Amino acid sequence: MAISDKKNSALSTKKGVVKPHNLFKSSIKKLQKNKAKDISVNDYFKNIVKGDVSYLSRAITLVESQNRNDNKKANKLLEACLPYTQKSVRIGITGVPGVGKSTFIEVFGKQLTKLGKKVAVLAIDPSSSINKGSILGDKTRMENLAKDKMAFIRPSPTGKTLGGVAKSTRESILLCEAAGFDVIIIETVGVGQSETIVHQMVDFFLLLKLAGAGDALQCIKRGIIEMADAIVINKADGGNLHVAQKAKTEFNRALHLYPVKESKWTPKVLLCSALKNEGIKAIWQLLSDYFKLTKNNGYFEHNRKNQNKYWLQDTIKHELLRRFESLPNIKKDFAQQLSDVNHNKTTPFLAAQKLLKKFYKK
Ligand SMILES: Nc1nc2c(ncn2[C@@H]2O[C@H](COP(=O)(O)OP(=O)(O)OP(=O)(O)O)[C@@H](O)[C@H]2O)c(=O)[nH]1
Ligand SMILES: [Mg+2]
C-alpha cells in the first residue's frame, strides 16, 4: 500500500504514518519531487494501469479538484482508462455512526485480500462538506487493511457538495478499476441522500445494522430496506447475540413485505461480529451467490447500464437547472414565482410552466 499524499491518506493513523510498500517507494520519491501538475496524462495512465497506488492516489486528487486545468487533464485520463475499467465488483456499505463499518470493512477487506483480491475502499461522507471531517480520516479503524499491499483506502473528499462528491467517487471507481482493483467498497454513513447516491453506483448494497440500542426496525430510514441486497446485523456477540437473533427474524419478516426485486435476488439477513471476525466468510459467500445470479440472468450488466443513464441524466438535469436559474431574464421571475408559491398564490407546477414558457419564447 503506497500513498504519498499524507493529507488525503488514511495511512496517517494515530500510531503514525504507515510505511509504504517498497515496490512503490521510488515512484513516491519521484512524485514528491514532481508536483501533481507536472505529471503528464500519459504518466498517470501508464503508472495507474501498472497498479501503482501512489499515482492512483494523485489521480484521484486530480478528479476531485475544482481547477479547470485539472478537470481537463482528469477527463483525458479517464478516457484513456475506460478500456481498462468495468472488471470489478462494486459494493456499497452503509450504517449509522458506531455500527461498526470501519471494523467490518477491515476484516471483510482482509478476508478478500487473503483470497488474492485487490480491494479499494472509497467513502462518501456528506457531513465532511459541513464540518470538514472525514469518516475514513482520524477515526479509521482499518490499520491492518491500510498496511496491506493488496488494499487501497481513500478518505472521503472534503469541502464539496454531495453532487460533487458523487461525481468524483464515480470517477475514482473507474481509476481504481483501471489500477486492477477487483473489489471496490464504497462506504457511507447515510446522511441525507448519500445512501441513494451510493446505491446508484454499486452492484450490491449492504446495510449494516445493530440489534437493540434504539436501532430497531421502526427507526430505519424509509426506502433503505428496499435498496438493501443484504442486511447484516453486526455486534452479534457476547450478551448481544440473543437480541441480534431476534432482530434477524424481525428483519426477515420485514423483507418479505417487499415485492420481488428486478434482480430476482431475495435479500438476506445475516449476523456477524466484526470485532471477533465471526460470520464474515458467510457474507462474502452471499455476495458471490448474488454476483453469480445477476451475472447469469443479465441483471448485473443491465443495472450498470441503468446507472450510466441515471448519472448522464442527473448531470444534465443539474447543469441545465443551474444555467436556467442564472439566466438574466429568468432570475428575477424565478424569485417572483418562488415567492408566489410560498405565499400560496400559485403552485410549483404552474410556476415552473410559466418560467419554461418564458424561456422557450426567447
Ligand atoms: N462488540 C462488538 N463491538 C464492535 C463490533 N464491531 C465494531 N465494534 C465496536 O464499535 C465501535 C464503533 O466501531 P466502528 O467500526 O468505528 O464504527 P463505524 O460505523 O465505522 O463508526 P463511524 O466511523 O463513526 O461512522 C468500536 O468501539 C468498535 O470496536 C462487533 O462486532 N462487536
Ligand atoms: Mg468508521
Side-chain angles (χ1 to χ4, degrees):
M1 169 86 202
I3 303 176
S4 58
D5 188 347
K6 195 175 165 193
K7 185 175 153 257
N8 281 317
S9 169
L11 296 182
S12 348
T13 64
K14 278 174 209 143
K15 290 180 192 160
V17 179
V18 178
K19 275 195 177 163
H21 187 248
N22 286 346
L23 189 64
F24 299 118
K25 268 187 179 167
S26 61
S27 52
I28 289 177
K29 271 192 197 142
K30 231 193 294 170
L31 276 171
Q32 277 164 346
K33 261 193 250 155
N34 301 338
K35 287 210 175 94
K37 67 173 190 290
D38 301 327
I39 306 169
S40 70
V41 172
N42 197 33
D43 274 347
Y44 273 121
F45 171 71
K46 269 190 332 210
N47 288 292
I48 286 172
V49 293
K50 266 194 245 162
D52 186 329
V53 286
S54 55
Y55 276 89
L56 172 65
S57 185
R58 288 295 171 109
I60 292 179
T61 306
L62 198 67
V63 299
E64 286 171 356
S65 166
Q66 273 143 342
N67 174 295
R68 266 173 167 254
N69 286 332
D70 286 349
N71 287 346
K72 275 187 200 158
K73 222 172 177 178
N75 289 339
K76 276 189 192 156
L77 177 61
L78 285 163
E79 263 175 10
C81 286
L82 276 178
Y84 298 80
T85 63
Q86 307 295 330
K87 285 170 203 139
S88 76
V89 289
R90 306 164 182 171
I91 305 166
I93 295 183
T94 189
V96 295
V99 69
K101 293 180 295 301
S102 305
T103 318
F104 175 81
I105 293 170
E106 159 114 326
V107 288
F108 184 66
K110 282 298 287 183
Q111 193 207 321
L112 296 179
T113 61
K114 274 191 202 138
L115 292 172
K117 298 193 182 302
K118 283 180 73 183
V119 179
V121 184
L122 309 171
I124 288 194
D125 178 12
S127 61
S128 72
S129 53
I130 302 162
N131 59 26
K132 309 264 183 239
S134 166
I135 47 172
L136 288 174
D138 53 350
K139 282 198 277 170
T140 185
R141 280 193 170 81
M142 300 188 217
E143 278 102 348
N144 286 328
L145 192 61
K147 278 185 233 169
D148 192 327
K149 65 180 188 335
M150 298 283 281
F152 173 76
I153 300 177
R154 177 72 178 195
S156 175
T158 54
K160 282 182 126 190
T161 61
L162 195 50
V165 172
K167 177 180 176 287
S168 59
T169 307
R170 283 263 304 170
E171 293 173 344
S172 303
I173 290 176
L174 297 175
L175 294 173
C176 289
E177 288 180 343
F181 284 89
D182 306 295
V183 180
I184 320 253
I185 295 174
I186 317 290
E187 177 193 354
T188 185
V189 275
V191 177
Q193 290 298 305
S194 72
E195 285 135 342
T196 316
I197 282 176
V198 171
H199 184 245
Q200 284 295 350
M201 55 175 82
V202 295
D203 308 309
F204 188 97
F205 194 68
L206 191 155
L207 172 63
L208 269 187
K209 292 295 292 175
L210 287 175
D215 196 31
L217 194 55
Q218 59 271 29
C219 300
I220 210 161
K221 253 202 220 170
R222 265 179 71 191
I224 184 123
I225 293 215
E226 271 168 292
M227 287 194 274
D229 296 302
I231 297 174
V232 173
I233 302 167
N234 189 33
K235 307 197 187 182
D237 47 41
N240 210 27
L241 187 58
H242 180 64
V243 269
Q245 277 158 344
K246 261 178 74 182
K248 182 178 172 180
T249 315
E250 210 178 319
F251 279 119
N252 259 325
R253 206 175 295 142
L255 283 175
H256 279 105
L257 300 174
Y258 290 93
V260 179
K261 284 184 170 241
E262 200 188 344
S263 59
K264 301 282 181 273
W265 168 256
T266 313
K268 308 275 184 326
V269 187
L270 290 178
L271 301 181
C272 85
S273 169
L275 195 67
K276 297 194 167 171
N277 200 347
E278 287 167 3
I280 308 297
K281 270 195 187 139
I283 296 168
W284 177 242
Q285 184 54 52
L286 184 88
L287 267 85
S288 306
D289 291 347
Y290 173 88
F291 295 131
K292 199 172 160 197
L293 173 87
T294 55
K295 282 183 179 177
N296 281 339
N297 71 13
Y299 179 79
F300 189 92
E301 181 95 353
H302 169 75
N303 185 42
R304 283 204 175 178
K305 283 186 178 154
N306 269 350
Q307 290 177 343
N308 287 336
K309 188 174 172 192
Y310 171 89
W311 289 108
L312 177 69
Q313 289 180 329
D314 188 72
T315 310
I316 293 173
K317 209 158 62 187
H318 280 99
E319 183 56 19
L320 282 181
L321 185 64
R322 192 190 65 76
R323 287 193 185 195
F324 180 79
E325 283 177 351
S326 59
L327 287 173
N329 65 329
I330 296 288
K331 223 173 176 175
K332 215 174 113 203
D333 281 17
F334 192 96
Q336 183 58 51
Q337 290 295 333
L338 188 60
S339 160
D340 286 355
V341 172
N342 288 337
H343 288 95
N344 235 4
K345 289 186 194 160
T346 186
T347 71
F349 311 101
L350 283 173
Q353 272 172 16
K354 272 185 206 155
L355 289 167
L356 286 167
K357 233 181 218 167
K358 180 161 185 180
F359 172 76
Y360 284 115
K361 258 190 202 154
K362 179 175 73 89

